[in-house]
Amino acid sequence: MPRTRGARATAAARSPIRPRRAALGVPVLDLVYVLATLALFALVALVVKGVERL
């Protein structure tokens, strides 16, 4: 692999790392949103069930 000087060497060395971090972070964030949505619906269902008993 040929060596380059200056900013190009730094950017070229970092570029393969950035997509990996972005790719790993997105599915985890999606999972958090899905779990939060399910928890919200479960909470609403419990409130509705409690109000029906009144």
Side-chain angles (χ1 to χ4, degrees), residues 1-51:
M1 184 175 198
R3 288 187 174 184
T4 57
R5 294 183 184 182
R8 289 185 181 179
T10 306
R14 290 183 185 168
S15 62
I17 296 172
R18 286 183 183 169
R20 290 182 193 162
R21 288 182 182 170
L24 290 176
V26 173
V28 172
L29 190 58
D30 289 345
L31 182 62
V32 169
Y33 284 137
V34 168
L35 291 177
T37 303
L38 290 174
L40 181 64
F41 276 106
L43 182 64
V44 169
L46 286 175
V47 169
V48 168
K49 195 172 188 180
V51 169

